[in-house]
Every structure is written in C-alpha cells, then in structure tokens.
Amino acid sequence: MTSELPHLSGHHRDTLLQIFQHPTSYNIEWHDVLSLLEATGTVEQEHDGKYDVRIGDEVEVITKPKHKDIDVPQIVDLRRIFTAAGYDAVVKDMEAKGKED
C-alpha cells in the first residue's frame, strides 16, 4: 500500500493517525471513525446499532458507542483491522513526513 491515498481527505488521515497514536487518544469521535471506515472499505449498518465493516479482506462487527467517542477496546480492534489491510505502513509514512516538516 502506498502513502498516496487520494481517496482519504485530510480529516480521514487525521483520524487514522489518531487511531494509531501512542499513547492512545481518548477523544476519537465515532462519526469521524465511521466516515473513515466508509472511505476505506464498506460499511453496512445493522438494525441493532452494529456495523459490519470490511476493509480489504478483514471483516469486523463494530458497535456504535453510547457516547460520541470510541473506547480503547474499539481502538485496538480498529488498529488490528487497519494493520491487516496495510494501513499501518501508510501511518508510518505519514508520521515520517510529518517529522520532516
């Protein structure tokens, strides 16, 4: 996967960086995550508030949080699915470019 992602807006890239941030960010908003998921894969909303998400070959069922921000276990799940789809390399490239500025 390349770091050139024309299908991702700056906002999507920021959300992706937040997901991979260490230490873990505690203020990643659900609507930002949902928008990123829709930009990087397919999302189908189920009737019970769950979302079937496919990014590359990875499939995950994600539950909409009760509050506006996602929780740490959801961040861990998102890191796993994005890593499996190759986005960890993209994040490393974005971080490296940010450090060059």
Side-chain angles (χ1 to χ4, degrees), residues 1-2 5 15-22 36-37 40 53-60 62 74-92 94-95:
M1 180 159 295
T2 176
L5 298 170
T15 303
L16 188 60
L17 284 169
Q18 279 186 294
I19 289 169
F20 280 89
Q21 180 180 330
H22 291 284
L36 174 63
L37 292 169
T40 55
V53 177
R54 177 183 292 275
I55 301 175
D57 293 335
E58 293 296 306
V59 178
E60 184 78 30
I62 298 175
Q74 287 175 311
I75 293 170
V76 171
D77 289 341
L78 289 167
R79 281 182 190 157
R80 182 182 48 71
I81 194 170
F82 280 115
T83 297
Y87 282 90
D88 57 331
V90 172
V91 169
K92 287 177 186 168
M94 288 190 298
E95 289 172 339

Side-chain angles (χ1 to χ4, degrees), residues 15-88:
T15 303
L16 188 60
L17 284 169
Q18 279 186 294
I19 289 169
F20 280 89
Q21 180 180 330
H22 291 284
T24 301
S25 176
Y26 289 94
N27 59 347
I28 305 172
E29 293 189 18
W30 167 248
H31 66 86
D32 294 337
V33 170
L34 186 58
S35 178
L36 174 63
L37 292 169
E38 290 170 340
T40 55
T42 58
V43 178
E44 292 181 26
Q45 184 176 3
E46 301 296 326
H47 66 280
D48 56 2
K50 295 182 192 265
Y51 292 78
D52 292 329
V53 177
R54 177 183 292 275
I55 301 175
D57 293 335
E58 293 296 306
V59 178
E60 184 78 30
V61 176
I62 298 175
T63 302
K64 180 180 178 180
K66 292 182 169 109
H67 305 288
K68 69 178 182 124
D69 296 332
I70 62 172
D71 60 23
V72 173
Q74 287 175 311
I75 293 170
V76 171
D77 289 341
L78 289 167
R79 281 182 190 157
R80 182 182 48 71
I81 194 170
F82 280 115
T83 297
Y87 282 90
D88 57 331

